[in-house]
Amino acid sequence: MEDVVVIGAGIVGLATACALLLARPGLRVVVVDKADDVGTAQTGHNSGVIHAGLYYAPGSLKARLCRAGATATTQFCDEHGIPHRTVGKLVVATDPTELGRMAALHARALENGIPVRRVDRAELAEMEPLVTGLGAVHSPGTGVVDFRRVARVMADDVLARGGSVRLRSAVRAVQESGGSSPGVDVETDTGLVRARYAVACAGLQADRVARLGGLDVDFRIVPFRGEYYQLPLDRRPVQRLIYPVPDPALPFLGVHLSPTIDGRVTVGPNAVLGLAREGYARWSLDPRDVASFATFPGMWRFARHHVRTGLAEVRDSISRRAYLQRVRRYCPSVTLDDLRPYPAGIRAQAVDRRGRSVEDFLLRRTARQLHVCNAPSPAATSAIPIGELIRDEVLAAIG
C-alpha cells in the first residue's frame, strides 16, 4: 500500500508530492495523471507570470499564498537553475473610471503588503514610451518563468526522493474505506493504487474526480478559453508586463502584454466560454463538457449576470480587429499584422449553485481525501505553499 496518492501531475499536484517527500523522507508517494507528460493542462498554458499578489482580497487564502508563493517560486528556480526574470508590472488606467479602480487596487496591494507605487502619466511615458494611459500602478516584483519547466523539475525531484509518477493513468474510480485499515482505492487505466490517503489536484476535472470520491459537489467546473497571440520576435514594444485595470465584478484580469522567459511578447488572454474542458484547438467541442455546465442551474444564473461581457468576449474572439482594440487602448503601436498565432489556454473556473464564480481556493475533505476543487490564478505562483498547506493536513491525518 502507498502512503499517499496524488491525482494530477500539474504544478499543484507535483508541489504537494515534493512537500510530502521533503518533510518525510521514505514516504510512499505516487502521482497519477492521464496525460503523457506533466504540466500539460493549465500549468503549461498560461502567461508564465510570477504574480506578486496585487489583486486579491486581504486576508484571503489567495492573498496569503500568492505572497508566499512568489518568494518560494523564485527560490526554487534559483536552487534548480531554472531561468526566471523579475520584469515588473504596470497596471494601466486609460480612462477616468479606471483611475478610481486603480486607486482601489493600489490600496488593496498596500494592505496585502505588496511593494507598489503610483505612476503618473509622465512617468509612465518614461518607463514605457509605447504605452499610453492616465497613470498606472507599478509592481516592481512581478516576474516571469516557464511553469511547465518548473513542473518537470518538480517531477524529477519526486522521482529522486523515491516517489513515482505514473502517466497515461486516467482515474476511473475512487473508493474510500474505513474500519481497521482505512484508506483509498484509486482505479486507473494502468491499475489499482491503494493508499492511506488521496489528494486530488485535478484542475479542469476537479468536480468529476470529487464526485468519484463520493463528495457532495455543489459547484461545477466551467472552462473558459483564453486565446493568446504573440508579437513578431523583432517587435518588443514593452519591457514590463502591461495589464489593464481589472473590472472587480469579473474573475479575469483582462488582455495584457507579457514578455516571456524565452524572449517573446504574448498578447492575451481573453475569456470565452469553452465548449471543451481540454480542447485547446479552436472550435473544440465536447458534448459531455457542454452538458455538464448547461444542465447546472448556477451556470444559467452566472450567464444572466455576465451576458453583455460574454457577448463582447465572443465578438473579440471572432474578430482579430476587435481583439486588437483592447490592446491598443494602452499600446496603440500594436497593429493587426503584429498578432501572430499562439497556443490557447483553458481556465478551470468553479461556479456555485447561486451563480457566483468561486474566487478563492476551494478545498474539500473527507476522512481520507483532500480535493483541491478550485485553484484559479495565481495557483501556479502559489503552488509551493499550497503543497505545504496540503502536506500538513495529510501528515496530520495519516500520523
Side-chain angles (χ1 to χ4, degrees):
M1 177 182 281
E2 308 290 345
D3 290 308
V4 184
V5 55
V6 178
I7 301 170
I11 194 169
V12 175
L14 292 167
T16 299
C18 287
L20 287 164
L21 291 163
L22 186 61
R24 193 173 291 183
L27 202 68
R28 297 181 299 275
V29 178
V30 57
V31 181
V32 299
D33 197 290
K34 67 179 180 180
D36 57 7
D37 198 359
V38 302
T40 60
Q42 293 180 107
T43 299
H45 293 83
N46 59 52
S47 300
V49 178
I50 305 173
H51 289 281
L54 279 69
Y55 303 100
Y56 315 118
S60 66
L61 204 54
K62 261 191 181 182
R64 178 164 60 88
L65 294 177
C66 187
R67 288 197 306 272
T71 300
T73 300
T74 55
Q75 289 178 347
F76 183 88
C77 291
D78 289 340
E79 291 168 3
H80 292 84
I82 302 171
H84 68 95
R85 287 189 297 130
T86 302
V87 297
K89 174 195 288 187
L90 287 164
V91 183
V92 179
T94 57
D95 63 42
T97 300
E98 290 183 348
L99 280 175
R101 292 178 184 171
M102 187 187 77
L105 177 65
H106 179 253
R108 171 174 282 192
L110 292 176
E111 191 172 351
N112 278 329
I114 310 302
V116 293
R117 66 189 184 90
R118 296 279 292 272
V119 172
D120 63 18
R121 185 201 296 258
E123 188 175 1
L124 174 61
E126 290 178 7
M127 296 175 71
E128 294 286 354
L130 297 181
V131 172
T132 61
L134 304 180
V137 172
H138 180 216
S139 167
T142 302
V144 293
V145 73
D146 179 350
F147 280 114
R148 189 165 184 186
R149 182 166 180 177
V150 175
R152 286 171 173 155
V153 172
M154 286 181 173
D156 290 342
D157 265 11
V158 170
L159 298 176
R161 295 180 184 279
S164 62
V165 179
R166 301 184 189 177
L167 302 173
R168 306 177 187 88
S169 299
V171 173
R172 302 302 179 189
V174 179
Q175 181 65 49
E176 183 174 333
S177 58
S180 59
S181 181
V184 184
D185 289 349
V186 178
E187 183 67 46
T188 78
D189 285 349
T190 55
L192 179 68
V193 180
R194 290 184 167 173
R196 298 166 65 197
Y197 202 95
V199 176
C201 305
L204 285 156
Q205 306 296 337
D207 53 345
R208 289 170 175 161
V209 173
R211 194 175 291 109
L212 286 177
L215 280 74
D216 180 19
V217 177
D218 59 354
F219 63 92
R220 191 73 81 247
I221 294 296
V222 178
F224 282 91
R225 179 182 171 82
E227 295 162 331
Y228 290 88
Y229 293 96
Q230 63 179 322
L231 303 184
L233 290 176
D234 60 352
R235 284 277 288 128
R236 290 183 57 87
V238 296
Q239 299 302 311
R240 299 165 182 82
L241 294 149
I242 309 297
Y243 278 59
V245 176
D247 182 343
L250 299 174
F252 309 110
L253 298 180
V255 171
H256 44 270
L257 293 174
S258 301
T260 66
I261 198 64
D262 63 358
R264 306 170 189 266
V265 174
T266 62
V267 182
N270 58 354
V272 183
L273 180 63
L275 302 181
R277 294 196 187 193
E278 298 176 21
Y280 292 97
R282 196 172 180 86
W283 312 120
S284 294
L285 171 65
D286 185 320
R288 179 179 177 229
D289 290 345
V290 174
S292 175
F293 64 73
T295 58
F296 182 59
M299 183 59 196
W300 291 99
R301 297 185 181 104
F302 178 88
R304 282 198 299 270
H305 291 246
H306 301 293
V307 62
R308 291 181 62 184
T309 301
L311 291 173
E313 293 286 351
V314 170
R315 176 202 64 205
D316 295 349
S317 173
I318 295 171
S319 168
R320 268 197 324 147
R321 192 174 298 278
Y323 194 110
L324 175 67
Q325 294 312 308
R326 297 172 67 170
V327 183
R328 287 176 61 87
R329 290 185 63 200
Y330 55 80
C331 192
S333 66
V334 178
T335 69
L336 200 61
D337 289 341
D338 288 334
L339 298 183
R340 308 291 175 84
Y342 194 77
I346 299 176
R347 170 174 170 159
Q349 177 62 57
V351 174
D352 67 19
R353 289 192 178 276
R354 296 174 63 182
R356 300 172 304 183
S357 58
V358 180
E359 295 303 316
D360 210 349
F361 296 112
L362 177 64
L363 307 179
R364 293 285 175 82
R365 304 158 178 85
T366 68
R368 289 283 153 175
Q369 300 175 64
L370 188 153
H371 289 252
V372 181
C373 294
N374 192 56
S377 178
T381 299
S382 307
I384 293 174
I386 293 173
E388 292 168 348
L389 183 151
I390 295 170
R391 170 203 65 197
D392 293 344
E393 290 204 27
V394 173
L395 295 182
I398 66 176

